[in-house]
Amino acid sequence: MRASRLFIAGTAVALGLALLAGTAVAQTAAPTRDDIVGKLNHFEEAAEVDLPALKQQVMERAKTRIKNDPGPVNRPLIAPDLAKLPAFNAQIQFDADTPIIQPASYQTVGRIADALVHSSLLPYTFLIVGHVESNSKTREANAILSQRRADAIRDVLVNTFKISTKRLHPIGLGEEQFLDRPKPTSAVNGQLQILTYAKLPEDAPHTAAAPAPAAKKPAKKR
């Protein structure tokens, strides 16, 4: 009887560990191209957002020491209109306090690139929005870091995957627009977003950027 109980207990523990392992795999699995396309291809209208002005506003607000700051939980969103746009939230891993993308996230970035050249998404431009969870760093430092990370994703999409730079607009919001406002320190708030931003002008090419032609060597002097 005791051996039977031990066998049942051991089986239960093994099953529990297997379920936990399966959950971990599910959490770290890269999204498919179709997952991303499905999130981004229901664009209706462009958000009225002045990106250069928004970048300046983020930095100014992050630097300001407000006496009556309501704190991260109640801090008003800096660009609420962005919530109206189709969005894909990506779990991109970076080295701590840097814009260096970890190898484990390369597949996810590649899937994003595949989605952006899907026929249903070629007519659109996209925002690459960086966020940072509330931490021991200053809001200004986190605003700068989020912009650098958004820029890093844009650079990989353009330089490695040849997505047209005209279709990508990186912007860092730092701590100024949490994805999970009730939990400002949650890792969810460090996710990077791809948002369908606007339609390309009718006369703009809807193709990926072509590789730059090789530079010609100067003719040898005789």
Side-chain angles (χ1 to χ4, degrees), residues 75-97:
R75 193 175 296 140
L77 302 179
I78 199 163
D81 283 354
L82 295 185
K84 301 174 185 177
L85 297 175
F88 170 70
N89 292 10
Q91 187 65 51
I92 304 292
Q93 300 294 331
F94 297 90
D95 286 354
D97 300 326

Side-chain angles (χ1 to χ4, degrees), residues 129-133 146 149 173-174 177 179 189-193:
V129 185
H131 300 271
V132 179
E133 68 272 21
S146 67
R149 287 179 170 177
L173 299 184
Q177 184 140 318
L179 297 174
N189 292 310
Q191 291 180 342
L192 182 134
Q193 288 184 300

Side-chain angles (χ1 to χ4, degrees), residues 52-90:
L54 178 58
K55 287 183 181 182
Q56 184 177 352
Q57 187 181 358
V58 168
M59 291 309 303
E60 288 177 351
R61 195 168 97 164
K63 289 178 184 177
T64 304
R65 305 294 179 191
I66 304 174
K67 213 178 261 189
N68 298 319
D69 180 21
V73 173
N74 298 312
R75 193 175 296 140
L77 302 179
I78 199 163
D81 283 354
L82 295 185
K84 301 174 185 177
L85 297 175
F88 170 70
N89 292 10

Side-chain angles (χ1 to χ4, degrees), residues 125-157:
T125 63
F126 299 88
L127 296 183
I128 303 171
V129 185
H131 300 271
V132 179
E133 68 272 21
S134 185
N135 52 40
S136 60
K137 306 293 182 184
T138 65
R139 284 166 62 189
E140 181 182 2
N142 282 334
I144 293 170
L145 178 61
S146 67
Q147 181 65 56
R148 293 177 67 202
R149 287 179 170 177
D151 289 340
I153 296 295
R154 184 270 315 274
D155 291 346
V156 171
L157 291 173

